[in-house]
PDB file of all heavy atoms in Angstrom:
ATOM      1  N   HIS A 249      13.320   2.323  -8.324  1.00 93.00           N
ATOM      2  CA  HIS A 249      12.099   1.963  -7.598  1.00 93.00           C
ATOM      3  C   HIS A 249      11.038   3.054  -7.761  1.00 93.00           C
ATOM      4  O   HIS A 249       9.880   2.765  -8.077  1.00 93.00           O
ATOM      5  CB  HIS A 249      12.401   1.738  -6.114  1.00 93.00           C
ATOM      6  CG  HIS A 249      11.162   1.607  -5.285  1.00 93.00           C
ATOM      7  ND1 HIS A 249      10.400   0.462  -5.268  1.00 93.00           N
ATOM      8  CD2 HIS A 249      10.530   2.488  -4.469  1.00 93.00           C
ATOM      9  CE1 HIS A 249       9.361   0.647  -4.471  1.00 93.00           C
ATOM     10  NE2 HIS A 249       9.417   1.867  -3.976  1.00 93.00           N
ATOM     11  N   PHE A 250      11.423   4.313  -7.557  1.00 93.00           N
ATOM     12  CA  PHE A 250      10.442   5.392  -7.639  1.00 93.00           C
ATOM     13  C   PHE A 250       9.971   5.635  -9.069  1.00 93.00           C
ATOM     14  O   PHE A 250       8.833   6.050  -9.284  1.00 93.00           O
ATOM     15  CB  PHE A 250      10.983   6.673  -7.004  1.00 93.00           C
ATOM     16  CG  PHE A 250      10.932   6.626  -5.506  1.00 93.00           C
ATOM     17  CD1 PHE A 250      12.087   6.641  -4.759  1.00 93.00           C
ATOM     18  CD2 PHE A 250       9.724   6.546  -4.839  1.00 93.00           C
ATOM     19  CE1 PHE A 250      12.044   6.584  -3.374  1.00 93.00           C
ATOM     20  CE2 PHE A 250       9.663   6.489  -3.459  1.00 93.00           C
ATOM     21  CZ  PHE A 250      10.832   6.504  -2.722  1.00 93.00           C
ATOM     22  N   GLU A 251      10.798   5.375 -10.060  1.00 93.00           N
ATOM     23  CA  GLU A 251      10.346   5.465 -11.453  1.00 93.00           C
ATOM     24  C   GLU A 251       9.238   4.445 -11.704  1.00 93.00           C
ATOM     25  O   GLU A 251       8.233   4.750 -12.347  1.00 93.00           O
ATOM     26  CB  GLU A 251      11.514   5.219 -12.416  1.00 93.00           C
ATOM     27  CG  GLU A 251      12.488   6.361 -12.480  1.00 93.00           C
ATOM     28  CD  GLU A 251      13.731   6.037 -13.306  1.00 93.00           C
ATOM     29  OE1 GLU A 251      14.115   4.844 -13.409  1.00 93.00           O
ATOM     30  OE2 GLU A 251      14.332   6.988 -13.836  1.00 93.00           O
ATOM     31  N   ARG A 252       9.414   3.235 -11.180  1.00 91.00           N
ATOM     32  CA  ARG A 252       8.409   2.186 -11.345  1.00 91.00           C
ATOM     33  C   ARG A 252       7.134   2.515 -10.576  1.00 91.00           C
ATOM     34  O   ARG A 252       6.029   2.265 -11.049  1.00 91.00           O
ATOM     35  CB  ARG A 252       8.984   0.841 -10.909  1.00 91.00           C
ATOM     36  CG  ARG A 252      10.110   0.374 -11.833  1.00 91.00           C
ATOM     37  CD  ARG A 252      10.743  -0.918 -11.388  1.00 91.00           C
ATOM     38  NE  ARG A 252       9.771  -1.999 -11.557  1.00 91.00           N
ATOM     39  CZ  ARG A 252       9.711  -3.063 -10.780  1.00 91.00           C
ATOM     40  NH1 ARG A 252      10.563  -3.223  -9.793  1.00 91.00           N
ATOM     41  NH2 ARG A 252       8.806  -3.994 -11.005  1.00 91.00           N
ATOM     42  N   VAL A 253       7.263   3.090  -9.384  1.00 90.00           N
ATOM     43  CA  VAL A 253       6.087   3.481  -8.596  1.00 90.00           C
ATOM     44  C   VAL A 253       5.343   4.607  -9.303  1.00 90.00           C
ATOM     45  O   VAL A 253       4.127   4.559  -9.474  1.00 90.00           O
ATOM     46  CB  VAL A 253       6.492   3.914  -7.165  1.00 90.00           C
ATOM     47  CG1 VAL A 253       5.339   4.596  -6.442  1.00 90.00           C
ATOM     48  CG2 VAL A 253       6.987   2.718  -6.365  1.00 90.00           C
ATOM     49  N   GLU A 254       6.076   5.614  -9.728  1.00 89.00           N
ATOM     50  CA  GLU A 254       5.475   6.791 -10.366  1.00 89.00           C
ATOM     51  C   GLU A 254       4.759   6.426 -11.664  1.00 89.00           C
ATOM     52  O   GLU A 254       3.694   6.954 -11.971  1.00 89.00           O
ATOM     53  CB  GLU A 254       6.565   7.840 -10.614  1.00 89.00           C
ATOM     54  CG  GLU A 254       6.030   9.212 -10.956  1.00 89.00           C
ATOM     55  CD  GLU A 254       6.043   9.486 -12.452  1.00 89.00           C
ATOM     56  OE1 GLU A 254       6.747   8.805 -13.200  1.00 89.00           O
ATOM     57  OE2 GLU A 254       5.307  10.397 -12.864  1.00 89.00           O
ATOM     58  N   SER A 255       5.298   5.483 -12.421  1.00 91.00           N
ATOM     59  CA  SER A 255       4.702   5.093 -13.697  1.00 91.00           C
ATOM     60  C   SER A 255       3.552   4.100 -13.521  1.00 91.00           C
ATOM     61  O   SER A 255       2.849   3.796 -14.474  1.00 91.00           O
ATOM     62  CB  SER A 255       5.762   4.477 -14.609  1.00 91.00           C
ATOM     63  OG  SER A 255       6.142   3.198 -14.121  1.00 91.00           O
ATOM     64  N   GLY A 256       3.381   3.583 -12.303  1.00 88.00           N
ATOM     65  CA  GLY A 256       2.329   2.602 -12.065  1.00 88.00           C
ATOM     66  C   GLY A 256       2.746   1.186 -12.436  1.00 88.00           C
ATOM     67  O   GLY A 256       1.939   0.267 -12.423  1.00 88.00           O
ATOM     68  N   GLU A 257       4.011   0.998 -12.770  1.00 89.00           N
ATOM     69  CA  GLU A 257       4.520  -0.313 -13.178  1.00 89.00           C
ATOM     70  C   GLU A 257       4.545  -1.306 -12.021  1.00 89.00           C
ATOM     71  O   GLU A 257       4.379  -2.505 -12.215  1.00 89.00           O
ATOM     72  CB  GLU A 257       5.936  -0.144 -13.749  1.00 89.00           C
ATOM     73  CG  GLU A 257       6.570  -1.411 -14.248  1.00 89.00           C
ATOM     74  CD  GLU A 257       7.993  -1.172 -14.727  1.00 89.00           C
ATOM     75  OE1 GLU A 257       8.304  -0.057 -15.171  1.00 89.00           O
ATOM     76  OE2 GLU A 257       8.782  -2.115 -14.648  1.00 89.00           O
ATOM     77  N   VAL A 258       4.757  -0.811 -10.836  1.00 83.00           N
ATOM     78  CA  VAL A 258       4.801  -1.676  -9.660  1.00 83.00           C
ATOM     79  C   VAL A 258       3.605  -1.357  -8.772  1.00 83.00           C
ATOM     80  O   VAL A 258       3.221  -0.196  -8.634  1.00 83.00           O
ATOM     81  CB  VAL A 258       6.135  -1.504  -8.890  1.00 83.00           C
ATOM     82  CG1 VAL A 258       6.255  -0.132  -8.292  1.00 83.00           C
ATOM     83  CG2 VAL A 258       6.290  -2.542  -7.802  1.00 83.00           C
ATOM     84  N   LYS A 259       3.015  -2.396  -8.224  1.00 75.00           N
ATOM     85  CA  LYS A 259       1.882  -2.208  -7.321  1.00 75.00           C
ATOM     86  C   LYS A 259       2.313  -2.637  -5.929  1.00 75.00           C
ATOM     87  O   LYS A 259       2.854  -3.721  -5.747  1.00 75.00           O
ATOM     88  CB  LYS A 259       0.691  -3.032  -7.766  1.00 75.00           C
ATOM     89  CG  LYS A 259      -0.493  -2.829  -6.859  1.00 75.00           C
ATOM     90  CD  LYS A 259      -1.699  -3.538  -7.352  1.00 75.00           C
ATOM     91  CE  LYS A 259      -2.832  -3.241  -6.391  1.00 75.00           C
ATOM     92  NZ  LYS A 259      -4.029  -3.928  -6.766  1.00 75.00           N
ATOM     93  N   ILE A 260       2.064  -1.793  -4.976  1.00 75.00           N
ATOM     94  CA  ILE A 260       2.472  -2.066  -3.608  1.00 75.00           C
ATOM     95  C   ILE A 260       1.228  -2.141  -2.738  1.00 75.00           C
ATOM     96  O   ILE A 260       0.329  -1.309  -2.847  1.00 75.00           O
ATOM     97  CB  ILE A 260       3.434  -0.977  -3.096  1.00 75.00           C
ATOM     98  CG1 ILE A 260       4.690  -0.999  -3.952  1.00 75.00           C
ATOM     99  CG2 ILE A 260       3.749  -1.171  -1.629  1.00 75.00           C
ATOM    100  CD1 ILE A 260       5.618   0.136  -3.732  1.00 75.00           C
ATOM    101  N   SER A 261       1.193  -3.131  -1.884  1.00 71.00           N
ATOM    102  CA  SER A 261       0.067  -3.312  -0.985  1.00 71.00           C
ATOM    103  C   SER A 261       0.584  -3.337   0.445  1.00 71.00           C
ATOM    104  O   SER A 261       1.555  -4.023   0.741  1.00 71.00           O
ATOM    105  CB  SER A 261      -0.628  -4.638  -1.301  1.00 71.00           C
ATOM    106  OG  SER A 261      -1.669  -4.872  -0.404  1.00 71.00           O
ATOM    107  N   LEU A 262      -0.049  -2.577   1.299  1.00 72.00           N
ATOM    108  CA  LEU A 262       0.349  -2.515   2.698  1.00 72.00           C
ATOM    109  C   LEU A 262      -0.733  -3.122   3.570  1.00 72.00           C
ATOM    110  O   LEU A 262      -1.917  -2.911   3.337  1.00 72.00           O
ATOM    111  CB  LEU A 262       0.574  -1.059   3.122  1.00 72.00           C
ATOM    112  CG  LEU A 262       1.598  -0.275   2.321  1.00 72.00           C
ATOM    113  CD1 LEU A 262       1.578   1.184   2.750  1.00 72.00           C
ATOM    114  CD2 LEU A 262       2.973  -0.865   2.495  1.00 72.00           C
ATOM    115  N   LYS A 263      -0.312  -3.863   4.579  1.00 68.00           N
ATOM    116  CA  LYS A 263      -1.258  -4.405   5.541  1.00 68.00           C
ATOM    117  C   LYS A 263      -1.811  -3.233   6.342  1.00 68.00           C
ATOM    118  O   LYS A 263      -1.059  -2.410   6.846  1.00 68.00           O
ATOM    119  CB  LYS A 263      -0.553  -5.390   6.475  1.00 68.00           C
ATOM    120  CG  LYS A 263      -1.454  -5.936   7.559  1.00 68.00           C
ATOM    121  CD  LYS A 263      -0.686  -6.867   8.467  1.00 68.00           C
ATOM    122  CE  LYS A 263      -1.545  -7.300   9.624  1.00 68.00           C
ATOM    123  NZ  LYS A 263      -0.816  -8.133  10.564  1.00 68.00           N
ATOM    124  N   PRO A 264      -3.136  -3.136   6.463  1.00 68.00           N
ATOM    125  CA  PRO A 264      -3.685  -2.032   7.258  1.00 68.00           C
ATOM    126  C   PRO A 264      -3.239  -2.159   8.708  1.00 68.00           C
ATOM    127  O   PRO A 264      -3.208  -3.253   9.258  1.00 68.00           O
ATOM    128  CB  PRO A 264      -5.194  -2.205   7.124  1.00 68.00           C
ATOM    129  CG  PRO A 264      -5.414  -3.579   6.608  1.00 68.00           C
ATOM    130  CD  PRO A 264      -4.162  -4.036   5.957  1.00 68.00           C
ATOM    131  N   GLN A 265      -2.851  -1.048   9.293  1.00 71.00           N
ATOM    132  CA  GLN A 265      -2.402  -1.067  10.685  1.00 71.00           C
ATOM    133  C   GLN A 265      -3.572  -1.191  11.643  1.00 71.00           C
ATOM    134  O   GLN A 265      -3.467  -1.813  12.683  1.00 71.00           O
ATOM    135  CB  GLN A 265      -1.605   0.191  11.006  1.00 71.00           C
ATOM    136  CG  GLN A 265      -0.264   0.201  10.356  1.00 71.00           C
ATOM    137  CD  GLN A 265       0.570   1.378  10.821  1.00 71.00           C
ATOM    138  OE1 GLN A 265       0.053   2.422  11.182  1.00 71.00           O
ATOM    139  NE2 GLN A 265       1.869   1.209  10.803  1.00 71.00           N
ATOM    140  N   ALA A 266      -4.682  -0.613  11.290  1.00 75.00           N
ATOM    141  CA  ALA A 266      -5.833  -0.598  12.197  1.00 75.00           C
ATOM    142  C   ALA A 266      -6.840  -1.667  11.775  1.00 75.00           C
ATOM    143  O   ALA A 266      -7.985  -1.367  11.453  1.00 75.00           O
ATOM    144  CB  ALA A 266      -6.469   0.785  12.206  1.00 75.00           C
ATOM    145  N   VAL A 267      -6.406  -2.951  11.776  1.00 77.00           N
ATOM    146  CA  VAL A 267      -7.295  -4.031  11.346  1.00 77.00           C
ATOM    147  C   VAL A 267      -8.536  -4.120  12.237  1.00 77.00           C
ATOM    148  O   VAL A 267      -9.573  -4.617  11.794  1.00 77.00           O
ATOM    149  CB  VAL A 267      -6.577  -5.401  11.294  1.00 77.00           C
ATOM    150  CG1 VAL A 267      -5.566  -5.432  10.176  1.00 77.00           C
ATOM    151  CG2 VAL A 267      -5.936  -5.743  12.613  1.00 77.00           C
ATOM    152  N   TYR A 268      -8.444  -3.627  13.444  1.00 78.00           N
ATOM    153  CA  TYR A 268      -9.591  -3.658  14.345  1.00 78.00           C
ATOM    154  C   TYR A 268     -10.745  -2.806  13.821  1.00 78.00           C
ATOM    155  O   TYR A 268     -11.889  -2.937  14.270  1.00 78.00           O
ATOM    156  CB  TYR A 268      -9.192  -3.206  15.753  1.00 78.00           C
ATOM    157  CG  TYR A 268      -8.695  -1.789  15.833  1.00 78.00           C
ATOM    158  CD1 TYR A 268      -9.574  -0.732  16.057  1.00 78.00           C
ATOM    159  CD2 TYR A 268      -7.340  -1.498  15.654  1.00 78.00           C
ATOM    160  CE1 TYR A 268      -9.132   0.574  16.114  1.00 78.00           C
ATOM    161  CE2 TYR A 268      -6.884  -0.192  15.703  1.00 78.00           C
ATOM    162  CZ  TYR A 268      -7.782   0.839  15.935  1.00 78.00           C
ATOM    163  OH  TYR A 268      -7.327   2.136  15.972  1.00 78.00           O
ATOM    164  N   LYS A 269     -10.480  -1.933  12.830  1.00 81.00           N
ATOM    165  CA  LYS A 269     -11.533  -1.092  12.263  1.00 81.00           C
ATOM    166  C   LYS A 269     -12.256  -1.757  11.094  1.00 81.00           C
ATOM    167  O   LYS A 269     -13.251  -1.232  10.612  1.00 81.00           O
ATOM    168  CB  LYS A 269     -10.954   0.247  11.809  1.00 81.00           C
ATOM    169  CG  LYS A 269     -10.503   1.127  12.953  1.00 81.00           C
ATOM    170  CD  LYS A 269     -10.064   2.482  12.467  1.00 81.00           C
ATOM    171  CE  LYS A 269      -9.697   3.370  13.638  1.00 81.00           C
ATOM    172  NZ  LYS A 269      -9.373   4.720  13.206  1.00 81.00           N
ATOM    173  N   LEU A 270     -11.770  -2.902  10.628  1.00 82.00           N
ATOM    174  CA  LEU A 270     -12.412  -3.592   9.508  1.00 82.00           C
ATOM    175  C   LEU A 270     -13.908  -3.835   9.736  1.00 82.00           C
ATOM    176  O   LEU A 270     -14.704  -3.635   8.814  1.00 82.00           O
ATOM    177  CB  LEU A 270     -11.699  -4.914   9.201  1.00 82.00           C
ATOM    178  CG  LEU A 270     -10.446  -4.811   8.341  1.00 82.00           C
ATOM    179  CD1 LEU A 270      -9.745  -6.160   8.256  1.00 82.00           C
ATOM    180  CD2 LEU A 270     -10.766  -4.288   6.963  1.00 82.00           C
ATOM    181  N   PRO A 271     -14.321  -4.275  10.930  1.00 85.00           N
ATOM    182  CA  PRO A 271     -15.756  -4.504  11.129  1.00 85.00           C
ATOM    183  C   PRO A 271     -16.614  -3.255  10.949  1.00 85.00           C
ATOM    184  O   PRO A 271     -17.808  -3.360  10.675  1.00 85.00           O
ATOM    185  CB  PRO A 271     -15.843  -5.008  12.578  1.00 85.00           C
ATOM    186  CG  PRO A 271     -14.500  -5.565  12.878  1.00 85.00           C
ATOM    187  CD  PRO A 271     -13.537  -4.708  12.092  1.00 85.00           C
ATOM    188  N   GLU A 272     -16.021  -2.077  11.080  1.00 86.00           N
ATOM    189  CA  GLU A 272     -16.774  -0.833  10.891  1.00 86.00           C
ATOM    190  C   GLU A 272     -17.092  -0.588   9.420  1.00 86.00           C
ATOM    191  O   GLU A 272     -18.083   0.054   9.099  1.00 86.00           O
ATOM    192  CB  GLU A 272     -15.985   0.354  11.442  1.00 86.00           C
ATOM    193  CG  GLU A 272     -15.767   0.323  12.934  1.00 86.00           C
ATOM    194  CD  GLU A 272     -14.831   1.434  13.409  1.00 86.00           C
ATOM    195  OE1 GLU A 272     -14.653   2.440  12.690  1.00 86.00           O
ATOM    196  OE2 GLU A 272     -14.273   1.279  14.519  1.00 86.00           O
TER     197      GLU A 272
END
């Protein structure tokens, strides 16, 4: 997993925790 992350082979997207800040 970390080899793929380090090489850029895998893209990971996380849901922002502070969605209430989007309007800012």
Side-chain angles (χ1 to χ4, degrees):
H249 170 76
F250 283 115
E251 287 173 333
R252 293 177 68 212
V253 168
E254 194 261 342
S255 71
E257 182 183 331
V258 66
K259 181 175 181 182
I260 298 170
S261 177
L262 303 173
K263 177 182 174 183
Q265 288 187 331
V267 291
Y268 62 90
K269 291 185 177 185
L270 278 173
E272 295 173 20

